[in-house]
Amino acid sequence: IELGEIEAALAGHPGVAQSVAMVREDQPGVKRIVGYVVANSDEVDNTALRAHVSEFLPDYMVPAVCVVLDSFPLTANKKVDRRKLPAPDMSALMTGSVAPRTPTEHMIAEAFAEILGLDAVGVFDDFFHLGGDSILATQVIARLRAVGLELSFRALFENPTVAGLQPSVMASIDTPARVPVVARDTALPLSFAQQRMWFAAEF
C-alpha cells in the first residue's frame, strides 16, 4: 500500500485543500486505512471521498473511513503531527438503527460487530463501509462457521449487509456445503508427504 498514492487521490477531489493517509490500529489486530482531509467545501464527506478515491485506486487502497477536519495538528517544524490525528468514529458510519429481527440476523450482526470492534451493527449497515476488508471478511466467515453458519466470500462481497446475507446463509443451511465423511473398509495408501512424516517420526 502506497500511502502517498492515497493522499494524492484524496487531494484530487475538488473540495479538498489538504490530505493525509495513514494506517491505524485502534483495535488490536484490526488495521484500517484512514484518510484525513481539510476541506474547502461543505459537500465533502466520507461517502463522497471514498467514492472519489475508488475511481482511481483498487479497493484495498480505498480508506475504510475519511475524516474531515478544520485543520491538521502540526509539529514544531510545521509538519502534520500524525500522532495527534483523531481516531475515526466508526459508529457514525452506521446507516440506520434497525436491530436484527431473526436469530440468523442476530448471529451475523454479532459476527460483524465482534470483528469490526463495534458495540452493535444494524441490519442495513455495510460491512465494508464500516471498515471491513478481505482479511476481516475471512474472520467473519470463520466466526459464522464456528456457530454452524456457512457463508461464501462471494456472498459477503455481493451482499455486505446483515439483511442481504441472511438469504445466502439460510440457503447454505438447507444445502450443506461440506462433503460428508464416508466410511472405508480398507486403509488408503499414504501420500509421499505422509510417508516422510512417518519415517521422520519413527527415526
Side-chain angles (χ1 to χ4, degrees), residues 25-45:
E25 189 175 357
D26 298 302
Q27 177 191 356
V30 179
K31 295 182 179 181
R32 295 187 177 98
I33 301 174
V34 180
Y36 294 90
V37 304
V38 174
N40 55 24
S41 170
D42 295 334
E43 298 180 357
V44 176
D45 58 18

Side-chain angles (χ1 to χ4, degrees), residues 83-95:
R83 294 175 299 178
K84 292 184 178 180
L85 290 170
D89 180 10
M90 303 303 296
S91 62
L93 302 179
M94 295 183 182
T95 57

